[in-house]
Amino acid sequence: GKISSIESGAIRIFDVNKNTNELYLSYEINGIIPFPTAPLTYNVFGEIYVHNTLNTTTKLFYKFPHPTPLPPYPLWQEYVVRVENIKFDNSENLIVYGRTHNANLATFGTYSQVPISTSFTGYSFIAKINRSGQLLWFTYFHDLAQNASSLAIDKNNNIYVLSLRDKNGVLSSNSFQNTGDLSSNINYQEVISKLDTNGNHVWSTFYFKDDSQ
């Protein structure tokens, strides 16, 4: 239906296809997953919609997989996916990141095929979906920063993300700054990571200093 038909929800427009001027979006019902009807009526499985600005129609573009039929509540919560950011790369692929409770979504050969322990609810992930709505790869990742402009793509389709890690953690040797600011009282500090177009990790670096962000 039309965007205007989503009356009680929060619509989040993530990016615009510069070639077609279509909006790619998701939505939540007041940001809350209510019990017990959520699996049937609410966007809790990572649904991405495309909105045609010419005829004002909206259709489902991609939905992250989950078991069919769904298990009863509360087991279905293990398959919740929340889309938190989307950007187009230069080949019209969608780069998506978000959070999920589903531990079985990763694809072979990416940075992490198993969930990475986090301090937040669920597991962070990064995924790539092509212009036809097919999943190209999916990797679990470290706690991705939320409510921030923390996803960027360069002209070669390399991906840059902002994550949060323990200041005592040691990053790989090719990092600019391989540990956090140990003198800071903030234990979970920000890291910039670069992934290539296939979801492989290139480098990560702390940049946090003197309680700055």
Side-chain angles (χ1 to χ4, degrees), residues 23-94:
L23 309 179
Y24 284 71
L25 55 95
S26 181
Y27 68 90
E28 294 179 358
I29 305 301
N30 299 324
I32 299 172
I33 301 172
F35 166 79
T37 58
L40 302 177
T41 59
Y42 294 85
N43 178 18
V44 295
F45 298 114
E47 297 171 2
I48 301 169
Y49 293 85
V50 55
H51 180 70
N52 187 315
T53 58
L54 295 178
N55 59 22
T56 66
T57 58
T58 303
K59 65 180 180 180
L60 182 66
F61 175 74
Y62 183 79
K63 183 176 183 177
F64 284 92
H66 59 78
T68 304
L70 286 170
Y73 180 88
L75 295 179
W76 64 263
Q77 287 185 320
E78 297 177 6
Y79 303 99
V80 167
V81 177
R82 183 176 190 264
V83 174
E84 297 180 354
N85 208 335
I86 294 176
K87 280 194 181 296
F88 278 101
D89 69 9
N90 298 290
S91 302
E92 294 188 14
N93 300 301
L94 282 180

Side-chain angles (χ1 to χ4, degrees), residues 7 20 30 58 61 68 88 104 119-120 127-129 162 178 208:
E7 296 174 353
T20 65
N30 299 324
T58 303
F61 175 74
T68 304
F88 278 101
N104 302 300
S119 296
F120 301 118
K128 183 176 183 177
I129 302 168
L162 188 65
N178 63 359
F208 190 98

Side-chain angles (χ1 to χ4, degrees), residues 6-7 33 35 39 75 80 89 101 105 132 157 176 179 186 205:
I6 306 173
E7 296 174 353
I33 301 172
F35 166 79
L75 295 179
V80 167
D89 69 9
H101 293 271
L105 291 175
S132 300
N157 292 332
F176 166 68
T179 61
I186 299 176
T205 181

